[in-house]
Amino acid sequence: HRNRIDEVNVMISQFAKSDPTKANYACEQEMYDTDIFAKRLKNFIHSQKLTHKLSATNDMSGSFPVINSLSPEMQRVSCFMLVREHLELVPYLSSRFLSMHERSRVAKECMVLDFPPGETIRMSEDDSSIGRGIFVMIRGTAFAAHGSVKSFSQRKRKAFVITVGHVFGAGEVLLSEGNVQSEGRIEVISFTRVLFIPRRAVLAALERNQKAWKDCARWKYLLATTSHLNGNDKAT
């Protein structure tokens, strides 16, 4: 019990301190208020000391094991609290288009991943890669490239530097499998931490919110479709 209290305190310390968008969703304000939710979390963990109930595992539990012991709702809101600032960097997943509840559903599917210098991250649908999705740089520096890179000259032409705050793959993740730009790679230069948003979570969010698709995501899709034709291979 004491270990879980310590774990939840560590997790709460990583929550965003405030959400400047919460005024747009007044009915959701209490659930997504950092201080109120932190108290709910602590009360929940204390109550578990008596009931000893544990809920299902969660993708974020590798970084914060205490998530496994929370209720499904608290898992979802905790994940959102941890990554909402990073989700805001992806235009069609931001508060401009999605409610807190919609963003929390995306957050629950996300993973925070660490990579050492020298590692290459491949993005495709085959079993040897991490899969397709969006990468938001939390820490570190890396080279990134869209599409297939088969030679040094291609690498030199296509690769560009991404660092903290950069979003890689927001347009390409929307492309169908087999498109020349649907794959990508990241070559890690320094210790790097990323938020990985799986393609399935992105597509599900856009399926539920057509405005996000019509007003934003489809233009990212169009740019990703045509970028290699005009020589612009940088992140979208």
Side-chain angles (χ1 to χ4, degrees):
H1 173 72
R2 183 177 295 277
N3 288 341
R4 291 209 301 277
I5 288 293
D6 291 341
E7 289 171 359
V8 84
N9 283 332
V10 169
M11 184 172 70
I12 289 170
S13 73
Q14 299 301 308
F15 285 173
K17 301 306 178 186
S18 62
D19 185 355
T21 67
K22 66 183 180 182
N24 297 331
Y25 306 100
C27 63
E28 298 178 306
Q29 182 172 341
E30 182 172 333
M31 177 180 291
Y32 294 96
D33 182 274
T34 301
D35 294 334
I36 293 174
F37 184 68
K39 291 178 182 178
R40 285 187 62 204
L41 273 177
K42 292 178 181 179
N43 289 337
F44 183 83
I45 295 298
H46 282 302
S47 69
Q48 283 188 326
K49 185 175 182 180
L50 300 177
T51 61
H52 302 292
K53 291 182 179 179
L54 298 178
S55 52
T57 59
N58 182 275
D59 286 337
M60 296 288 286
S61 63
S63 300
F64 301 98
V66 70
I67 289 179
N68 288 342
S69 66
L70 304 180
S71 68
E73 180 199 38
M74 285 188 165
Q75 287 185 10
R76 177 176 56 77
V77 178
S78 294
C79 290
F80 173 62
M81 295 286 193
L82 289 165
V83 305
R84 67 183 177 190
E85 292 176 313
H86 308 304
L87 285 180
E88 199 69 19
L89 297 175
V90 184
Y92 53 76
L93 299 181
S94 71
S95 58
R96 180 182 175 190
F97 296 104
L98 304 188
S99 70
M100 292 186 190
H101 178 74
E102 288 173 317
R103 284 180 286 156
S104 71
R105 293 181 67 172
V106 175
K108 195 170 185 296
E109 300 293 321
C110 293
M111 293 178 280
V112 175
L113 305 173
D114 292 331
F115 297 98
E119 184 159 348
T120 298
I121 311 161
R122 294 179 57 249
M123 288 149 282
S124 68
E125 293 294 350
D126 63 58
D127 294 337
S128 63
S129 78
I130 194 171
R132 293 179 60 193
I134 300 172
F135 284 80
V136 181
M137 294 286 286
I138 298 175
R139 176 181 175 185
T141 305
F143 287 116
H146 296 297
S148 175
V149 178
K150 297 181 179 179
S151 67
F152 178 78
S153 61
Q154 282 186 331
R155 179 181 180 277
K156 186 176 180 180
R157 178 173 59 85
K158 291 185 174 185
F160 52 93
V161 174
I162 56 176
T163 187
V164 178
H166 278 82
V167 176
F168 180 69
E172 289 69 21
V173 73
L174 304 173
L175 301 176
S176 60
E177 187 66 20
N179 186 289
V180 67
Q181 291 291 94
S182 66
E183 298 185 5
R185 61 190 285 150
I186 294 175
E187 298 176 6
V188 179
I189 299 173
S190 63
F191 176 84
T192 294
R193 174 168 294 166
V194 301
L195 176 70
F196 178 66
I197 311 171
R199 185 172 187 257
R200 64 178 182 276
V202 174
L203 298 184
L206 295 176
E207 179 69 24
R208 291 189 295 264
N209 191 315
Q210 289 297 305
K211 179 176 174 58
W213 166 254
K214 292 179 181 179
D215 291 356
C216 185
R218 67 171 174 170
W219 303 112
K220 291 288 185 181
Y221 168 83
L222 180 62
L223 181 60
T225 302
T226 59
S227 62
H228 68 289
L229 299 177
N230 55 27
N232 179 17
D233 289 319
K234 292 191 175 182
T236 59

